[in-house]
Amino acid sequence: MGDTEYERYIRTNELFEQLRPIDGLVAHDELLFQVTHQTAELWMQVALHDVRGAVAHVEKGELAEAADLFTRVGIIEDHLTKQLAILERMPPKQYVHIRRTLGRGSGQESPGFNAMLKMGETIWPAIKKLIEDRGVPIVDVLDAPDQHYDLHVLFRSLYELDQNFRTWRFAHFRLVERQIGGFVDSLKGVPAEQLVHGMREHQLPELWAAVNDFTKRVNAEDRERGESTQYS
Ligand code: HEM
């Protein structure tokens, strides 16, 4: 327990106990490496909490509140991406020492990330029901955002959430390229290059399918009017 009210509420002593002692670090940058992971796990708990809160708002028809929370999740993801820039500057030789103490531990075992990978399963049923109740498919919202403004704002927050998650995955791959290279076997014995496949995944594929449908619709309308189409 700390001495001040602040220390007791924030639980700073317990928090600092989670860090490897400074005199036991295997490399100067091990503290940065550990704190980057630990803070990411904490932020992902906040993101997941906000996703659940946003879904509850959607279910109650409180779309502005839902959009607000989904937007915040996107900002948390963005924050996680930005903080990788600090680790990116670590000399790879520092990571060699850290890696030797990691054993076979891997980010693939991150509880926060693995729960984030299931975000779509939490979000989509509520969105699907909303679309059905309103009788307005996503493509119609893309076609006339001003006529469905609340849905437009909600979907925009979801596009950002999904997009920022992929941006984190890309930034992480870039970090891997800087630290160990993209074509070497990782701690789990699979090439780091496999991460590229994950970078292509969407958590809410229906949103992105709707963009394609939108362009196809516009092209069909153009063809009907005898105008050339730019994107097939
Ligand atoms: C020196 C820095 C880092 C290196 C070299 C690195 C390396 C790797 C590699 C090679 C993988 C592929 C799976 C495996 O075999 O382990 C991986 C996956 C992963 N790492 Fe990192 N990592 C670094 C930092 C981080 C940080 C700071 C985080 C979190 C904040 C993180 C979270 C993850 C996650 C969530 C995965 C699974 C990703 C997926 O399946 O798409 N890593 N990492």
Side-chain angles (χ1 to χ4, degrees):
M1 274 291 175
D3 290 340
T4 66
E5 227 175 310
Y6 174 88
E7 288 170 303
R8 284 194 292 275
Y9 180 75
I10 304 296
R11 305 184 62 184
T12 46
N13 283 354
E14 292 88 337
L15 196 56
F16 299 155
E17 273 168 24
Q18 310 311 311
L19 300 172
R20 283 170 76 85
I22 297 289
D23 54 12
L25 296 175
V26 295
H28 176 90
D29 288 341
E30 191 182 17
L31 186 64
L32 169 66
F33 183 81
Q34 196 190 26
V35 168
T36 307
H37 279 87
Q38 288 180 335
T39 52
E41 291 297 339
L42 292 177
W43 275 117
M44 287 191 282
Q45 290 306 311
V46 182
L48 292 160
H49 179 61
D50 283 352
V51 164
R52 289 188 295 268
V55 167
H57 279 306
V58 174
E59 286 166 351
K60 282 189 260 173
E62 297 162 354
L63 303 195
E65 288 85 344
D68 236 9
L69 277 186
F70 282 135
T71 300
R72 266 173 32 183
V73 174
I75 296 172
I76 292 172
E77 292 165 339
D78 197 29
H79 171 72
L80 293 178
T81 299
K82 286 202 182 104
Q83 77 164 9
L84 290 184
I86 313 170
L87 204 52
E88 216 171 56
R89 305 200 79 204
M90 169 173 77
K93 188 63 195 248
Q94 289 276 309
Y95 183 60
V96 171
H97 301 297
I98 298 169
R99 205 180 177 195
R100 286 179 183 144
T101 64
L102 255 179
R104 292 182 74 80
S106 152
Q108 272 181 328
E109 294 156 3
S110 154
F113 182 79
N114 288 326
M116 297 278 285
L117 281 178
K118 294 191 180 133
M119 267 188 306
E121 292 166 37
T122 310
I123 298 169
W124 182 245
I127 299 297
K128 188 167 178 276
K129 184 168 184 309
L130 173 70
I131 292 167
E132 284 164 3
D133 290 351
R134 290 276 196 102
V136 183
I138 303 173
V139 65
D140 285 3
V141 179
L142 292 173
D143 211 0
D146 43 341
Q147 281 171 35
H148 312 285
Y149 199 71
D150 55 349
L151 292 178
H152 159 70
V153 172
L154 179 67
F155 295 160
R156 186 181 59 197
S157 71
L158 288 171
Y159 279 110
E160 284 170 5
L161 175 149
D162 209 357
Q163 177 178 303
N164 292 359
F165 191 62
R166 291 219 306 180
T167 303
W168 180 87
R169 292 182 100 174
F170 176 70
H172 170 267
F173 181 67
R174 220 178 48 194
L175 171 67
V176 172
E177 282 190 317
R178 283 278 286 271
Q179 293 298 332
I180 60 171
F183 296 94
V184 293
D185 279 353
S186 69
L187 297 175
K188 292 278 178 205
V190 289
E193 180 67 4
Q194 281 208 353
L195 291 167
V196 174
H197 298 294
M199 276 157 43
R200 294 185 62 89
E201 273 171 23
H202 286 126
Q203 307 308 307
L204 294 161
E206 297 84 357
L207 289 184
W208 305 95
V211 186
N212 290 284
D213 291 345
F214 170 61
T215 302
K216 283 180 197 153
R217 181 188 284 188
V218 172
N219 286 346
E221 286 166 4
D222 285 355
R223 265 194 298 273
E224 241 166 64
R225 282 206 304 270
E227 289 172 15
S228 65
T229 54
Q230 289 90 354
Y231 313 102
S232 61

